[in-house]
Amino acid sequence: FEDVEGNIWLGLDNGINCVNLKSPLSIFFDKDGFIGTVYTSKIYHGKLYLGTNQGLFYKDLEDKISNLKFINGTNGQVWSLELHDDKLFCGHNLGTFIVDNEKIDLISTIAGTWQIKPIENNKNLLIQGNYSGLSILEKKNNTWSFRNKIKGFDNSARFFEFTQAREIWVNHEYKGVFKL
């Protein structure tokens, strides 16, 4: 049955269901397993980027027909996609990439970039959590690159937050919480 709002009501074996044909949401089903499990996504410069356990994929937002395209060189686990300084940063098992359309630039080879955050009051520095601790990215001459690892902290830093007191709290999956 179609109701006055254009929804379709279905009588099923185990009850009823409503299909909202005007919903802005849609489902993409990867029946071939090509893209893998999605861990992160970001819309950037008119494109949808998906970070998966198979790599980084993209497609034009306006293109409703074409499939997602794989970005060469991103094979493996993508953990995060972050926007900073109008650049798209990709946290990856191999390190940290900056993404420009379908091209990538590896700016840090420290493995396993989980997340990337700005450092307060310094627009030219970012801090990233990775498999072996925390490290700093720096922008010089309009180019982002690895600057240094934070010495003395070598635990995986998947989740971290800054406090008002300029401390960093890092959560470790089984070692607990660290205050730096």
Side-chain angles (χ1 to χ4, degrees), residues 153-172:
F153 185 76
D154 298 324
N155 294 305
S156 179
R158 184 169 188 179
F159 302 108
F160 64 93
E161 293 293 335
F162 293 100
T163 68
Q164 297 289 340
R166 299 177 58 102
E167 300 165 329
I168 301 173
W169 288 79
V170 181
N171 172 58
H172 189 276

Side-chain angles (χ1 to χ4, degrees), residues 169-180:
W169 288 79
V170 181
N171 172 58
H172 189 276
E173 288 77 18
Y174 58 88
K175 292 182 179 180
V177 178
F178 296 88
K179 180 174 85 169
L180 309 176

Side-chain angles (χ1 to χ4, degrees), residues 47-69:
K47 292 181 174 34
L48 169 66
Y49 290 88
L50 296 179
T52 79
N53 64 336
Q54 300 300 308
L56 185 61
F57 297 82
Y58 78 100
K59 75 177 283 158
D60 290 328
L61 277 177
E62 300 302 319
D63 185 351
K64 305 293 185 204
I65 298 170
S66 297
N67 290 328
L68 290 159
K69 297 174 188 154

Side-chain angles (χ1 to χ4, degrees), residues 27-81:
I27 295 174
F28 173 78
F29 183 68
D30 179 24
K31 65 181 178 202
D32 298 325
F34 175 64
I35 65 168
T37 302
V38 177
Y39 281 78
T40 185
S41 64
K42 194 66 75 181
I43 294 173
Y44 176 67
H45 290 182
K47 292 181 174 34
L48 169 66
Y49 290 88
L50 296 179
T52 79
N53 64 336
Q54 300 300 308
L56 185 61
F57 297 82
Y58 78 100
K59 75 177 283 158
D60 290 328
L61 277 177
E62 300 302 319
D63 185 351
K64 305 293 185 204
I65 298 170
S66 297
N67 290 328
L68 290 159
K69 297 174 188 154
F70 178 72
I71 296 179
N72 289 328
T74 66
N75 299 64
Q77 181 68 57
V78 174
W79 292 116
S80 63
L81 292 169

Side-chain angles (χ1 to χ4, degrees), residues 134-150:
L134 297 165
S135 56
I136 303 295
L137 301 175
E138 182 176 35
K139 183 170 102 173
K140 279 187 178 175
N141 301 321
N142 234 12
T143 302
W144 286 97
S145 62
F146 172 80
R147 187 180 88 174
N148 65 283
K149 182 179 180 337
I150 303 291

